[in-house]
């Protein structure tokens, strides 16, 4: 099994290759003058092998890049790793007329790969939209083992992040709690306390995504 690093996961893919001792297959990529992407995988060998493909989906361009890679590799067996799974927050219809964005992405990927692995994906709801094997792994325990946790409490800035706070807290044998967040728009949010008593404690805030930073910023202001 060889490794292919998508454009957005070069560093991680190279680390993975180093740790596992697996060979990397190079990808040539460029942009046409109108902005369209071009890719070519490997040299002139046939691509009917087994590959670990690693590509985070941070931008829309990353999604197109992944679709091109999957098409180039369509004779192969692909174990796809998506460290950052974009569009996972729209995992249901909140209002009539909206798509389930993660379903659209999952549908375009599922029949082209054997398995998808994500890292701390936004919610467990995501798994049901993938029609291939799906697994999510967590980095929070590893992160917890690297942090000074003396006199600390772990706080999730909203209930959705409670599971991540628990992973972190369990690893370090700490208490954890969450705040109650109400979102009015992409940038307008309000945070209220749950059962939190944080006076005199060091606080470790744990969340899956920092996008505008509004959630973390509001949480910090409230906790202060
Ligand atoms: C939302 O449910 C997520 O878990 C994050 O809390 C959110 O996406 C963070 O976004 P922002 O940094 O824009 O507040």
């Amino acid at each position: 099994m060889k490794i292919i690093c998508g454009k957005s996961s070069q560093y991680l893919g190279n680390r993975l290759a180093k740790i596992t001792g697996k060979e990397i297959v190079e990808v040539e990529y460029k942009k046409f003058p109108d902005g369209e992407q071009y890719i070519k995988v490997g040299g002139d060998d046939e691509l009917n092998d087994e590959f670990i493909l690693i590509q985070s989906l941070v931008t829309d361009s990353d999604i197109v890049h992944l679709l091109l890679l999957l098409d180039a590799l369509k004779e192969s067996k692909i174990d796809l790793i998506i460290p950052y799974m974009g569009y996972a927050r729209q995992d249901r219809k909140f209002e009539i007329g909206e798509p389930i964005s993660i379903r659209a992405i999952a549908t375009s990927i599922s029949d082209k790969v054997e398995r998808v692995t994500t890292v701390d994906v936004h919610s467990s709801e995501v798994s049901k939209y993938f029609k291939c094997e799906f697994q999510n792994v967590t980095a929070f325990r590893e992160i917890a083992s690297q942090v000074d946790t003396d006199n600390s409490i772990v706080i999730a800035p909203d209930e959705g992040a409670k599971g991540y706070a628990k992973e972190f807290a369990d690893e370090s044998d700490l208490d954890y709690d969450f705040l109650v967040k109400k979102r009015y728009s992409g940038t307008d949010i309000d945070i209220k306390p749950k059962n939190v008593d944080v006076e005199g404690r060091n606080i470790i805030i744990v969340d899956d995504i920092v996008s505008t930073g509004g959630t973390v910023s509001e949480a910090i202001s409230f906790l202060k």
Side-chain angles (χ1 to χ4, degrees):
M1 208 174 212
K2 296 174 186 167
I3 296 179
I4 296 177
C5 313
K7 213 173 162 187
S8 64
S9 296
Q10 294 286 310
Y11 177 75
L12 215 50
N14 277 284
R15 292 261 303 167
L16 186 66
K18 208 166 183 181
I19 290 165
T20 59
K22 292 189 191 302
E23 188 187 327
I24 287 201
V25 174
E26 297 298 333
V27 181
E28 177 191 341
Y29 44 82
K30 61 185 177 191
K31 277 208 168 168
F32 289 108
D34 62 358
E36 287 185 2
Q37 300 183 48
Y38 167 90
I39 62 142
K40 182 178 188 302
V41 182
D44 292 324
D45 296 336
E46 286 300 324
L47 294 167
N48 52 3
D49 207 337
E50 293 186 17
F51 295 100
I52 295 169
L53 173 58
I54 175 162
Q55 165 77 346
S56 272
L57 303 182
V58 182
T59 65
D60 294 356
S61 168
D62 294 334
I63 297 169
V64 174
H65 185 68
L66 175 62
L67 294 177
L68 298 183
L69 285 167
L70 291 176
D71 196 74
L73 294 165
K74 74 184 183 38
E75 307 302 333
S76 303
K77 282 194 167 172
I78 309 293
D79 195 344
L80 175 62
I81 302 174
I82 308 176
Y84 178 82
M85 180 80 238
Y87 286 92
R89 285 173 290 178
Q90 184 80 17
D91 57 4
R92 70 193 80 161
K93 270 182 204 270
F94 298 94
E95 289 182 25
I96 292 169
E98 290 180 346
I100 299 175
S101 306
I102 189 61
R103 180 175 63 189
I105 307 294
T107 304
S108 62
I109 293 172
S110 291
D111 63 344
K112 301 175 179 67
V113 303
E114 304 295 308
R115 180 172 69 168
V116 168
T117 303
T118 55
V119 181
D120 292 308
V121 73
H122 178 64
S123 78
S124 55
E125 283 294 287
V126 166
S127 66
K128 72 180 186 208
Y129 299 116
F130 283 90
K131 301 304 172 205
C132 54
E133 192 186 329
F134 178 91
Q135 66 172 351
N136 178 65
V137 296
T138 184
F140 279 113
R141 285 178 177 269
E142 180 60 30
I143 295 168
S145 71
Q146 308 286 324
V147 172
D148 177 4
T149 54
D150 192 33
N151 187 31
S152 297
I153 180 166
V154 185
I155 300 292
D158 60 30
E159 193 169 2
K162 197 170 66 175
Y164 313 123
K166 182 177 184 328
E167 291 282 353
F168 194 110
D170 284 355
E171 176 66 25
S172 307
D173 213 10
L174 298 173
D175 292 333
Y176 70 97
D177 207 336
F178 65 96
L179 306 177
V180 179
K181 176 172 87 173
K182 193 161 172 48
R183 182 178 283 283
Y184 300 103
S185 70
T187 51
D188 190 13
I189 52 177
D190 185 28
I191 287 188
K192 293 196 166 59
K194 183 70 183 162
N195 307 306
V196 198
D197 182 6
V198 294
E199 204 171 331
R201 310 286 293 275
N202 294 325
I203 299 170
I204 297 166
I205 299 176
V206 168
D207 203 357
D208 60 326
I209 296 170
V210 174
S211 173
T212 63
T215 299
V216 167
S217 167
E218 281 289 321
I220 291 169
S221 300
F222 168 71
L223 290 163
K224 275 204 165 240

